[in-house]
Amino acid sequence: MRLRPHDERGQATIELVLVVPVLIVLALFLVQVGFVVRSLVLVHHAAREGVRVAAVGGDLDRIREAVVGSSGLLPGATDVDRHIDGDLVTVTVTYGDPTDVPLVGLLLPEVPVTAFATMRREAVDLPRTWSSEGIHQKGVPQARAPIR
């Protein structure tokens, strides 16, 4: 009895069929990681814009407008918090980055991305008025010029 060699035709095709779906999912996963990194950069930028508004005395609504308006983040997925500690103000932005890449979105939940920024609060100037003697701040006593 003579043994015949095994027929190996089609083996490469079977291996390709088994490996290609895994490679496609890995490539899509890398695309999703790129989107998360992009969101991380946007959230850091949004926190800096928000703390700029907070440093000059903006309320929480104006801070939210600055955060969402400057970054293009989805308003419903963005949470903004402000904390004042003495002369420092900190704005924390948390964003739920949706995983919208096909196949990866089914495997991964929404990715929370958080950033914060701190700045020193600026003093708000009192309104100024013009008079014949120059510019004066309302409510601030002015020294009188000596009479000659």
Side-chain angles (χ1 to χ4, degrees):
M1 185 162 148
R2 197 169 155 193
L3 294 174
R4 287 195 270 161
H6 294 287
D7 187 13
E8 295 184 9
R9 288 182 296 166
Q11 180 180 353
T13 305
I14 297 298
E15 289 175 359
L16 185 67
V17 167
L18 292 174
V19 171
V20 166
V22 174
L23 292 177
I24 289 173
V25 170
L26 285 175
L28 291 174
F29 180 76
L30 288 175
V31 169
Q32 183 63 52
V33 168
F35 285 140
V36 171
V37 169
R38 175 187 172 272
S39 295
L40 182 63
V41 170
L42 289 176
V43 168
H44 276 280
H45 174 71
R48 285 192 304 268
E49 290 296 321
V51 80
R52 284 185 187 120
V53 171
V56 295
D59 61 354
L60 198 54
D61 290 332
R62 292 186 70 196
I63 296 169
R64 279 193 186 109
E65 287 175 18
V67 165
V68 173
S70 69
S71 62
L73 299 174
L74 299 172
T78 306
D79 183 38
V80 179
D81 185 38
R82 173 188 64 181
H83 177 73
I84 298 172
D85 184 21
D87 64 340
L88 296 177
V89 62
T90 302
V91 171
T92 305
V93 178
T94 304
Y95 179 66
D97 189 26
T99 53
D100 292 337
V101 175
L103 296 177
V104 177
L106 299 173
L107 300 174
L108 292 176
E110 185 175 87
V111 179
V113 181
T114 302
F116 68 92
T118 302
M119 272 189 174
R120 187 172 308 278
R121 293 171 57 196
E122 296 180 14
V124 178
D125 289 339
L126 295 171
R128 297 173 185 259
T129 59
W130 285 93
S131 72
S132 60
E133 298 170 0
I135 301 175
H136 302 287
Q137 289 183 331
K138 289 184 180 178
V140 177
Q142 301 295 320
R144 295 193 176 256
I147 302 176
R148 293 182 185 192

